[in-house]
Amino acid sequence: MSEVPENLKYTSDHEWCRLEDDGSVTVGITDHAQQALGELVYVELPEVGAEFAAGDACAVVESVKAASDVYAPLGGEVVEVNEQLEGEPELVNSSPYDEGWLLRLTPADPAAMDELLDPENYEQVLAEASD
Amino acid sequence: MSPEMPLREDLIFEQSAAGRGSPALAPASGEAPGLPPGLLRSVPAALPEVSELQVVRHYTRLSQLNYSIDTHFYPLGSCTMKYNPKVCNRLAMLPGFLGRHPLAPEADGQGVMACLYELQAMLAAVTGMQAFSLTPMAGAQGEFAGVAMIMAYHRSRGDHERREIIVPDAAHGTNPATATMCGCSVREIPTDADGDIDLPALRAAVGPQTAGIMLTNPSTLGVFERRIREVADIVHEAGGLLYYDGANLNAILGRALPGAMGFDVIHVNLHKTFSTPHGGGGPGSGAVGVGRRLEPFLPLPIVGRENGRYRWLGEAERPQSIGRLSAFMGNTGILLRAYVYMRLLGAEGMRRVADYATLNANYLMHRLREAGFRLAYPARRASHEFIVTLKDLHRETGVTAMDVAKALLDRGFHAPTTYFPLLVPECLLIEPTETESPETLDAFAEALAEIRELARSDPEQLRRAPLSTPVRRLDDVRAARQLDLAWRPAD
Amino acid sequence: MPYIPHTPEDTARMLAAIGLDSIDELFDEIPPALRAEGFAGVPAGIDEAAAARLMQSRAAQDGRSLCFVGAGAYDHYIPAAVWDLAARGEFYSAYTPYQAEASQGTLQLIYEYQSMMCALTGMEVSNASLYDGATAFAEACLMAVRANRRAGRRRILVSRALSPVYRRVAETIVAGQDIELVELPLRDGRLDPDALPADAAGQYAALALQQPSYLGTLEDVDRLSDWAAAQGLLLIAVCNPLSLAVLKPPGEWGEAGADIACGEGQPLGIPLSSGGPYFGYIVSRERLVRQMPGRIVGRTVDVDGRPGFTLTLQAREQHIRRSKATSNICTNQGLMVTAATIYMSLLGAEGLQRTAAACHANTARLAARLAALDGVRIAFEPFFHEVVLQLDRPAAAVLAGLAERGIAAGVDLGDSYPELGPAILSCATEQRSDADIEVYAAALAEVLDSSEVA
């Protein structure tokens, strides 16, 4: 079973979002997603300052057998990326919700956070997928 | 088992000694006085300095680390690893062919051009198409040529909105990659439970944006697409064209013609159906054939014939062509091998290809079903290949298709294709080809059955396989994280 | 039956096991309307001896002329050991090394090949090869555009002295992706430094040039490399790999060196073979490795810690990345790479250097000898191992006259470079003797003197 922390929002594409005190939103991929991909060997991150609409491919996570786009859960401007992943992509495997975060963005519309999945709904998505 | 395999061989660089080399192989002088000093190399390239005997031993020993058709049964699904007759290689390497510069006068190439001209015609005959170009250098380039021709056709009619290519979800990854290279978007459509295309989904997918559809028939699922004429009608009525990926032509050679199924363009993998060598990954050849409406767009050059002389047709004769795909005219030497193969087999021999490829596949499928293996499409006749799914075995024992593949290596067989098509979990795609004897198929079936028993009695042993190969399972993650792609001299 | 081992008893036993009466029934899922009964237009099979006679008679018609043509493929001597080894069944009849444990021979050989190409070019990473030089150039252009995708730059500056056919092939391949190749004009057979656009920065993804150029001339690569770097353009170098035994490798051009190098591998032990199969090489800086198309082999260790080789970075490729792959290419030109790796091992750096230098010296002798004739002049100097000869009358007629005398004298440049007037491109490799050069010179003198061409 994969871990689904209570304090986060989710997408059905297996990204998570965390609202920070300064109004920015941190984005990563879920424990389920990192398990499905296997050991990551590379993470391609956007440049700081890049702007994305919700649903745009904003990063790529790559294992030896798969490569997956990460879609922006909400529109906005990238204000920080996790540079540690350049040398240590395995952090996404070992700590998907903490040290393995991907990027932080300033949402164009902060209310868009409310549209994302609650932990219960995301667990529902996972349950349906495993049927 | 292959106990005679050498275990490992040092890199050629590690066998080097300064000043050794093979001086008999190069001209005596090395002076180049006319060149500007500022443009010259200052330090010699770090290539090995070894004797000719060292080179011969090293590469002979490296060759012995390989499994190959000449040494092992190689049932790699979708790759058609059949015997490559030695004579095809010998005759393609006759000095007249080998020594001819591609830009030498046409009068000096009438022999090779006669072979290529006849090859164009024979390929048209065995596929039911109108005309062929031999220039694509691999299946993927044939695909590129095919989709580029479809796009050129639509453009020639002022139809600029058709930019979407439909592919079934079971398609090989090259199909969508090719569509992207041609500037198209890709729409995937599903396959039904029996392995046929989902027709309602296809009807819903086509429209004024449809440039065409890319299909393999028999499909990558190892079954014949039975409603292919309906598929063709749906796509044609929507204004799109049909592209035939010839990956599985071996299954129907002489039994059905892609041209008659409604396809507008086809590529043929000569390295599969016509038995040119795979060479450790190439060269291949992806000759493309078309019906009449795409003929003006064929890639160049093409061999033509006038007054008993052969000549190259180029841009002047074919102004609407999609252009050139190679510096000269494709993999000529490979084309000659295919030509010899087709002449040796003739019409009757080529038909036997499909007959015995299909017989071998269905026989092996039957043996494995009897041994308790689960087939992905049990209700269907196998084409020249079929799929076993190890989903149940995996659930029961934890053993994966990869474990089974590696255990086969220990038993002296190359593994089938694993994890393709992506639709079928824990799958083995098995293609025995027509050149294998029933004894070999029986031995392979028995090895798989034995592995299955072992999966239940001692799964740990399978997870350790292979044990008899020059190396055991390799650390792919380390290979990708700590890139070591070239040897470098120590500083 | 040719290549099919089944006895009639085998066939009967197998059909009985499946529960069928005939082979025809194996095809019962093909709708009757689609079934074919053989095909018209294909002759009956012949036996091996007859095939040998046929092909010997065909081959006897070909390749008899004395070769002074280059233009991207070169008549070099190939040591006997090269193809004796490369044609071994274990190399010849293996496939792409998906099962690494059963393919260490091919994998280690490709790793050695990658190492040799890096050494020759002065670059850090190489793939396992592409189809040929022209497609390697096309892939280099696509790679440069991908590396610039965030900035959206889709135009590439290309020297007019870069092979015309490479440019045509690249245009065919990149046409669908809205990528534009912008031609840069020449002066004295070389890129005109005054014609470099002042506003290139931000406008273009890369500058592409060929060294030695298609016309045999030598570009001022250090200066051009520095210019590209100053403008923020990637530099694509198209190089004959044999020439790099003598010339400065692209990795060392200017301050920063080229970013991508590519070219035709045929000079490294591959027969002319009427045009192919050859192979294309492509090498780059390590930071661009994820934009590289095609197979790449890496060294790693197995579960026992022993060194071994495997395909790596496969997530770039079509079988995983599908419509988002770096290229649709599946294979490499494995057999050709096998031959090239053996060729480079046999010759070593010194053997390659001596071969390349001999080509240069022979072409210089040829050029001097021909330019001594009235109506022939050397267009550009210095040159490497090909030379443009300007003539005082139509080149096609002169070449035809020489062809009748058994000489493949060169390539007519009229279609691609009309600004040169009547001109041909000729080459004398290390295989051409002084006597061969005399034969060419005497024949040319005869053609020029005769009334055949006015």
Side-chain angles (χ1 to χ4, degrees):
Chain A
M1 272 308 286
S2 61
E3 193 194 341
V4 182
E6 280 300 320
N7 57 333
L8 304 177
K9 292 280 204 173
Y10 298 89
T11 71
S12 54
D13 292 320
H14 312 288
E15 290 97 14
W16 59 259
C17 294
R18 184 175 62 224
L19 184 61
E20 307 296 347
D21 293 341
D22 63 357
S24 67
V25 173
T26 303
V27 177
I29 65 169
T30 66
D31 189 29
H32 170 84
Q34 71 79 18
Q35 281 180 26
L37 284 161
E39 290 179 82
L40 293 193
V41 296
Y42 185 66
V43 179
E44 183 186 310
L45 295 169
E47 281 165 19
V48 170
E51 289 186 30
F52 295 100
D56 284 355
C58 62
V60 182
V61 284
E62 186 183 308
S63 69
V64 290
K65 58 175 194 215
S68 245
D69 285 322
V70 177
Y71 301 101
L74 45 166
E77 183 186 335
V78 176
V79 290
E80 190 183 0
V81 297
N82 185 355
E83 283 166 9
Q84 225 185 331
L85 299 180
E86 196 176 319
E88 296 174 80
E90 57 270 30
L91 288 176
V92 178
N93 296 113
S94 59
S95 176
Y97 297 111
D98 185 15
E99 287 180 90
W101 64 279
L102 300 181
L103 53 95
R104 202 156 57 77
L105 50 81
T106 313
D109 172 17
M113 270 300 265
D114 301 336
E115 308 290 313
L116 300 176
L117 301 176
D118 292 328
E120 304 76 54
N121 302 123
Y122 180 61
E123 284 188 13
Q124 192 87 36
V125 169
L126 293 181
E128 280 163 18
S130 68
D131 281 344
Chain B
M1 300 266 184
S2 306
E4 75 282 4
M5 281 191 134
L7 276 182
R8 65 175 297 235
E9 172 72 10
D10 286 340
L11 289 170
I12 191 81
F13 300 94
E14 295 163 345
Q15 303 178 33
S16 175
R20 189 172 283 152
S22 302
L25 301 174
S29 159
E31 297 298 306
L35 299 173
L39 294 177
L40 299 183
R41 180 167 200 125
S42 54
V43 180
L47 297 180
E49 296 180 72
V50 285
S51 72
E52 180 167 334
L53 177 57
Q54 280 181 301
V55 171
V56 170
R57 283 211 182 121
H58 175 69
Y59 290 104
T60 300
R61 287 169 61 89
L62 279 192
S63 78
Q64 291 169 337
L65 303 181
N66 275 356
Y67 285 33
S68 66
I69 299 170
D70 283 6
T71 54
H72 295 79
F73 180 42
Y74 212 122
L76 196 64
S78 101
C79 298
T80 312
M81 300 299 284
K82 63 166 100 176
Y83 170 62
N84 309 138
K86 299 291 176 192
V87 66
C88 300
N89 186 49
R90 168 83 63 86
L91 297 181
M93 294 188 79
L94 290 170
F97 298 134
L98 221 52
R100 180 178 177 274
H101 193 287
L103 302 177
E106 280 176 358
D108 196 31
Q110 291 294 302
V112 65
M113 290 169 83
C115 296
L116 301 184
Y117 184 80
E118 291 171 21
L119 180 61
Q120 287 172 185
M122 286 195 290
L123 287 171
V126 302
T127 57
M129 305 307 282
Q130 285 292 334
F132 258 80
S133 165
L134 305 173
T135 171
M137 292 179 283
Q141 238 202 359
E143 284 184 34
F144 177 89
V147 176
M149 281 191 274
I150 289 174
M151 297 307 288
Y153 169 80
H154 292 312
R155 268 199 310 278
S156 75
R157 294 155 48 91
D159 199 347
H160 297 284
E161 301 310 306
R162 297 188 179 275
R163 299 190 75 88
E164 187 173 272
I165 293 284
I166 298 172
V167 297
D169 53 4
H172 194 277
T174 7
N175 292 169
T178 297
T180 302
M181 277 189 98
C182 291
C184 299
S185 56
V186 178
R187 177 183 288 215
E188 283 203 354
I189 54 165
T191 307
D192 70 20
D194 279 335
D196 289 316
I197 286 174
D198 183 333
L199 287 188
L202 176 63
R203 282 198 191 89
V206 297
Q209 80 289 354
T210 303
I213 185 168
M214 300 179 84
L215 288 178
T216 311
N217 194 20
S219 73
T220 57
L221 303 174
V223 296
F224 191 86
E225 175 58 58
R226 292 170 288 194
R227 293 172 305 201
I228 184 62
R229 288 299 316 215
E230 287 165 79
V231 170
D233 289 344
I234 292 168
V235 175
H236 281 149
E237 278 163 25
L241 297 184
L242 278 86
Y243 176 85
Y244 183 93
D245 179 329
N248 295 340
L249 186 64
N250 215 53
I252 57 163
L253 198 59
R255 286 286 179 175
L257 302 176
M261 297 176 202
F263 285 97
D264 300 285
V265 50
I266 169 175
H267 91 261
V268 179
N269 293 303
L270 301 183
H271 49 283
K272 297 181 182 176
T273 314
F274 300 103
S275 206
T276 67
H278 282 76
S285 176
V288 280
V290 290
R292 211 168 282 298
R293 59 180 159 181
L294 290 183
E295 191 173 348
F297 307 103
L298 278 172
L300 301 173
I302 298 163
V303 188
R305 187 165 188 232
E306 276 168 21
N307 306 321
R309 304 292 290 170
Y310 299 96
R311 55 181 292 249
W312 294 114
L313 305 181
E315 287 79 357
E317 293 82 4
R318 296 291 177 93
Q320 286 186 285
S321 164
I322 58 163
R324 289 180 186 257
L325 296 170
S326 70
F328 299 104
M329 75 84 39
N331 285 336
T332 316
I334 297 304
L335 301 171
L336 289 174
R337 286 165 175 82
Y339 173 75
V340 175
Y341 180 78
M342 291 180 92
R343 293 301 309 268
L344 286 165
L345 264 58
E348 197 49 37
M350 280 193 269
R351 173 159 167 174
R352 280 194 296 259
V353 164
D355 288 359
Y356 286 86
T358 306
L359 177 64
N360 274 358
N362 279 279
Y363 174 74
L364 185 55
M365 181 169 87
H366 163 78
R367 289 284 322 247
L368 293 177
R369 189 197 324 240
E370 294 233 301
F373 284 93
R374 179 162 160 189
L375 304 175
Y377 297 96
R380 300 295 306 270
R381 190 79 72 204
S383 63
H384 64 318
E385 62 189 353
F386 61 96
I387 304 173
V388 165
T389 172
L390 302 173
K391 191 174 157 187
D392 298 344
L393 189 71
H394 175 59
R395 194 174 293 152
E396 184 188 334
T397 66
V399 165
T400 64
M402 187 60 72
D403 297 331
V404 172
K406 301 305 183 194
L408 278 167
L409 302 182
D410 275 336
R411 286 155 182 79
F413 299 105
H414 195 280
T417 297
T418 51
Y419 300 100
F420 177 83
L422 306 170
L423 288 186
V424 185
E426 297 299 328
C427 70
L428 301 176
L429 177 61
I430 304 173
E431 180 182 6
T433 83
E434 73 277 10
T435 58
E436 296 297 334
S437 69
E439 291 88 340
T440 300
L441 305 184
D442 288 337
F444 180 74
E446 281 152 26
L448 266 179
E450 186 248 316
I451 290 167
R452 193 160 175 272
E453 288 310 306
L454 203 56
R456 295 190 168 124
S457 62
D458 188 3
E460 206 39 50
Q461 197 183 328
L462 289 183
R463 278 193 273 276
R464 285 199 303 272
L467 294 163
S468 65
T469 46
V471 292
R472 294 182 53 213
R473 279 190 224 190
L474 292 155
D475 187 342
D476 292 334
V477 173
R478 173 181 162 135
R481 281 186 186 159
Q482 301 170 37
L483 288 178
D484 175 357
L485 308 180
W487 176 88
R488 283 190 182 77
D491 290 327
Chain C
M1 294 180 284
Y3 315 119
I4 294 174
H6 302 59
T7 65
E9 293 73 27
D10 288 335
T11 306
R13 175 173 75 83
M14 294 167 79
L15 284 169
I18 307 168
L20 298 180
D21 293 327
S22 72
I23 283 182
D24 285 348
E25 287 176 61
L26 288 167
F27 298 93
D28 56 7
E29 288 193 2
I30 301 179
L34 293 181
R35 281 181 216 162
E37 295 299 324
F39 14 63
V42 178
I46 56 179
D47 64 30
E48 189 169 319
R53 280 194 300 277
L54 170 70
M55 295 304 279
Q56 276 154 1
S57 74
R58 293 263 166 91
Q61 301 174 40
D62 288 8
R64 290 158 303 169
S65 48
L66 190 57
C67 182
F68 288 93
V69 190
Y74 302 93
D75 185 18
H76 297 300
Y77 181 73
I78 302 171
V82 172
W83 282 93
D84 265 29
L85 290 165
R88 286 181 65 91
E90 300 94 327
F91 288 133
Y92 187 82
S93 74
Y95 192 40
T96 300
Y98 294 121
Q99 294 289 338
E101 302 88 342
S103 314
Q104 285 296 299
T106 292
L107 285 163
Q108 180 170 335
L109 184 141
I110 293 172
Y111 179 87
E112 291 178 357
Y113 160 80
Q114 291 173 181
S115 307
M116 290 179 195
M117 295 316 295
C118 290
L120 214 44
T121 58
M123 306 292 273
E124 287 118 35
V125 295
S126 165
N127 81 354
S129 77
L130 297 166
Y131 306 130
D132 75 351
T135 61
F137 173 59
E139 290 281 11
C141 293
L142 292 172
M143 200 173 154
V145 168
R146 281 196 298 276
N148 274 283
R149 68 191 184 289
R150 282 180 181 152
R153 294 194 279 262
R154 304 184 77 78
R155 292 195 293 166
I156 294 177
L157 292 168
V158 182
S159 165
R160 184 167 168 76
L162 197 148
S163 164
V165 69
Y166 284 24
R167 285 183 274 140
R168 285 220 298 259
V169 169
E171 275 164 8
T172 304
I173 292 175
V174 306
Q177 299 184 49
D178 297 323
I179 294 167
E180 190 187 352
L181 306 185
V182 178
E183 186 179 291
L184 288 173
L186 308 183
R187 190 170 68 203
D188 297 333
R190 312 192 311 165
L191 233 174
D192 180 355
D194 296 333
L196 294 170
D199 60 345
Q203 302 287 313
Y204 298 93
L207 166 68
L209 55 91
Q210 187 170 4
Q211 175 84 330
S213 77
Y214 177 77
L215 300 172
T217 56
L218 294 165
E219 301 280 7
D220 188 353
V221 289
D222 291 333
R223 182 173 163 190
L224 291 167
S225 176
D226 289 343
W227 179 83
Q231 300 289 323
L233 273 57
L234 293 180
L235 185 65
I236 300 172
V238 178
C239 297
N240 176 333
L242 182 66
S243 77
L244 297 179
V246 170
L247 299 178
K248 186 183 283 189
E252 295 173 17
W253 293 357
E255 288 295 314
D259 299 284
I260 304 168
C262 62
E264 176 55 66
Q266 182 274 337
L268 301 174
I270 312 302
L272 287 168
S273 196
S274 306
Y278 299 164
F279 73 92
Y281 78 87
I282 188 164
V283 291
S284 79
R285 297 300 183 190
E286 185 157 2
R287 67 186 145 76
L288 295 175
V289 68
R290 278 167 206 280
Q291 304 308 333
M292 184 74 94
R295 308 254 184 253
I296 299 175
V297 170
R299 181 159 61 170
T300 182
V301 294
D302 75 359
V303 290
D304 295 330
R306 285 182 297 188
F309 302 88
T310 186
L311 294 173
T312 192
L313 298 178
Q314 292 190 76
R316 298 164 298 114
E317 294 186 66
Q318 46 73 32
H319 62 286
I320 291 178
R321 205 72 171 104
R322 297 177 75 88
S323 65
K324 290 181 175 170
T326 50
S327 168
N328 73 340
I329 194 168
C330 305
T331 49
N332 61 339
Q333 297 276 103
L335 191 62
M336 304 298 128
V337 160
T338 304
T341 306
I342 296 166
Y343 177 86
M344 287 188 276
S345 299
L346 283 168
L347 268 80
E350 190 189 340
L352 294 183
Q353 192 274 338
R354 279 161 36 187
T355 304
C359 293
H360 168 70
N362 280 356
T363 302
R365 263 201 299 283
L366 174 74
R369 183 69 186 80
L370 299 181
L373 301 172
D374 279 344
V376 182
R377 60 179 290 270
I378 296 169
F380 313 116
E381 290 185 284
F383 50 82
F384 181 65
H385 74 349
E386 288 186 85
V387 60
V388 175
L389 299 166
Q390 286 173 309
L391 307 173
D392 64 357
R393 65 198 80 188
V398 173
L399 288 175
L402 288 164
E404 279 170 27
R405 288 164 177 80
I407 297 167
V411 173
D412 182 350
L413 294 173
D415 286 344
S416 303
Y417 298 92
E419 67 272 25
L420 297 177
I424 62 172
L425 183 67
S426 290
C427 164
T429 67
E430 87 285 4
Q431 297 233 71
R432 296 291 82 81
S433 64
D434 287 346
D436 294 338
I437 289 170
E438 280 309 312
V439 168
Y440 185 172
L444 181 56
E446 198 179 296
V447 169
L448 293 174
D449 283 345
S450 73
S451 54
E452 295 165 43
V453 287

